Amino acid sequence: MARPSHLQVDLPALISNYQWACQLAPQSNTMAIIKADAYGHGAVACARALDAYAPAFGVACIEEALQLRQAGISKPILLLEGAFTDDEVITAGENNFWLMVEDPWQVDAIVNAKLPKPVSVWVKIDTGMHRLGLAPFRLPELMAKLQNSPNVAPGMLMASHFACADELNNNFTQQQIQCFHANLPSSDMPFSLANSAAIMAWPEAHGTWNRAGFMLYGNTPLDGEHSSNQGLTPVMSLHSAVISLRQIPTGAAVGYGQAWTAQRDSLVATVAMGYGDGYPRHAGTGTPLIINGQRATLIGRVSMDMVTVDVTDIAGVDVGSPVCFWGADLSANEVARHIGTIGYELITRVGQRLPKIYI
């Protein structure tokens, strides 16, 4: 009998979320971002599910892009951080990978490469996040290099990335939009600004291309209530089952470090899930989950392979009772708030040990 811990991935929900992103920005092309193994959901399966809908995909690195090519995905794939070495520029040219250019050395690597054919280039401007992107004052010089190179395909696109688009009341997004348009070489150039948060809440940022990432997986990136949240359906649900039950007397402690002590006679369930599966070790007492269809909370420390749950007030719990750590009835964002992190981290850190079941 197999260990009951597993990940369930709802591919129709993924498609629905992608279509919602398109509906929110009907004048834009919407790229599906499937970096980090599709945010933990399985890049190949998600790309195949979206292949009939998305005109292009985005990944973080060339290894992720090559994995998709080997799986038969033929759509254009954008390397969101560009090439990391000179030879990756050649690999991009051979495989129809689009290259983000965010540093002057990448400009030189493209211009000096011996390519089988020109590559499509996205030029990232640093509009204030100060993580990646060309400094605006260097744009004229570097753009001229690219525009005069036979290695660059026609139709270069300008891009940037938002620092605070998830914060609905932060006007820094407006400042970044203004900075971006003030530094466009020409007003009619194709551009891409909008990540998931901007697709959902900043329509003035919608461009030739939008980049839908976190929202594809059914969780809102926004820090508050917004009408666009209603179109999202969680794609991932994390499941396991009770593997043991025990009665704990008042004053007895549970788990490593005796981190939780019973304040009454209690019924404690042990569940097969731990930090070895990617469930956060720092999830503490009070973190919510669903057991037997009812809300419950973790107690004590998360172990490598197990967690413990106070089920004293939960009816009908037995060995084998189903447990859901997040999903349709308990969002990853809500769990993350209890743990002091974000939903992005929860869904991307789920370990390879867990089998994925695709719906």
Side-chain angles (χ1 to χ4, degrees):
M1 183 176 178
R3 185 169 181 258
S5 310
H6 66 277
L7 202 63
Q8 186 168 292
V9 180
D10 185 342
L11 294 175
L14 176 72
I15 294 168
S16 174
N17 294 332
Y18 176 80
Q19 292 172 325
W20 179 239
C22 295
Q23 186 176 334
L24 290 171
Q27 303 306 314
S28 302
N29 298 297
T30 300
M31 175 178 290
I33 305 301
I34 54 173
K35 63 181 179 176
D37 199 30
Y39 291 60
H41 295 68
V44 169
C46 290
R48 286 173 173 164
L50 292 170
D51 199 31
Y53 304 90
F57 295 99
V59 297
C61 58
I62 208 159
E63 292 83 2
E64 293 178 340
L66 289 170
Q67 179 192 31
L68 297 181
R69 284 287 182 262
Q70 291 159 6
I73 301 299
S74 60
K75 296 279 180 68
I77 301 173
L78 172 65
L79 304 183
L80 289 161
E81 297 169 34
F84 293 111
T85 58
D86 291 350
D87 62 304
E88 288 190 355
V89 174
I90 298 170
T91 303
E94 293 170 342
N95 289 276
N96 190 27
F97 298 154
W98 296 352
L99 285 173
M100 188 76 77
V101 172
E102 63 81 22
D103 190 275
W105 83 262
Q106 292 176 328
V107 174
D108 292 335
I110 292 171
V111 169
N112 297 328
K114 294 181 179 179
L115 296 179
K117 61 179 182 178
V119 292
S120 294
V121 170
W122 289 34
V123 178
K124 176 171 278 190
I125 309 172
D126 183 358
T127 56
M129 190 171 185
H130 302 318
R131 186 182 65 173
L132 297 177
L134 302 177
F137 76 91
R138 294 205 63 183
L139 272 181
E141 161 208 352
L142 297 171
M143 288 290 294
K145 281 188 177 183
L146 292 168
Q147 288 168 334
N148 293 328
S149 171
N151 284 340
V152 178
M156 259 196 308
L157 183 143
M158 308 301 292
S160 194
H161 193 56
F162 292 126
C164 306
D166 57 317
E167 299 175 12
L168 296 174
N169 296 316
N170 191 332
N171 70 358
F172 189 64
T173 299
Q174 291 285 3
Q175 295 176 39
Q176 285 193 267
I177 294 171
Q178 292 165 8
C179 176
F180 180 80
H181 286 290
N183 286 283
L184 277 182
S186 65
S187 60
D188 60 348
M189 281 197 78
F191 70 92
S192 176
L193 282 173
N195 55 2
S196 289
I199 290 170
M200 296 175 65
W202 301 90
E204 60 270 46
H206 296 172
T208 315
W209 284 90
N210 296 334
R211 308 182 306 273
F214 189 58
M215 69 178 297
L216 292 183
Y217 307 100
N219 297 290
T220 179
L222 304 177
D223 68 354
E225 292 300 318
H226 193 276
S227 59
S228 61
N229 293 344
Q230 305 308 311
L232 301 177
T233 303
V235 176
M236 174 191 290
S237 51
L238 181 62
H239 298 274
S240 191
V242 175
I243 59 172
S244 187
L245 280 169
R246 62 206 59 250
Q247 294 285 348
I248 303 295
T250 302
V254 173
Y256 286 120
Q258 297 184 306
W260 181 85
T261 301
Q263 301 302 304
R264 57 177 177 168
D265 292 349
S266 303
L267 181 63
V268 172
T270 300
V271 180
M273 179 67 66
Y275 61 78
D277 303 298
Y279 191 81
R281 184 179 180 275
H282 61 286
T285 296
T287 302
L289 49 75
I290 295 174
I291 187 165
N292 236 19
Q294 302 165 77
R295 287 247 178 166
T297 59
L298 294 186
I299 57 172
R301 290 186 186 169
V302 175
S303 306
M304 183 180 291
D305 310 303
M306 291 171 280
V307 296
T308 45
V309 185
D310 182 359
V311 295
T312 309
D313 299 320
I314 307 297
V317 176
D318 205 344
V319 170
S321 290
V323 180
C324 180
F325 289 85
W326 60 73
D329 297 320
L330 175 62
S331 76
N333 285 347
E334 180 181 347
V335 176
R337 285 193 292 272
H338 281 270
I339 299 174
T341 185
I342 55 176
Y344 292 77
E345 182 180 9
L346 290 190
I347 66 174
T348 58
R349 73 183 300 169
V350 175
Q352 295 300 311
R353 177 165 77 171
L354 291 178
K356 293 183 178 70
I357 298 174
Y358 289 97
I359 306 301

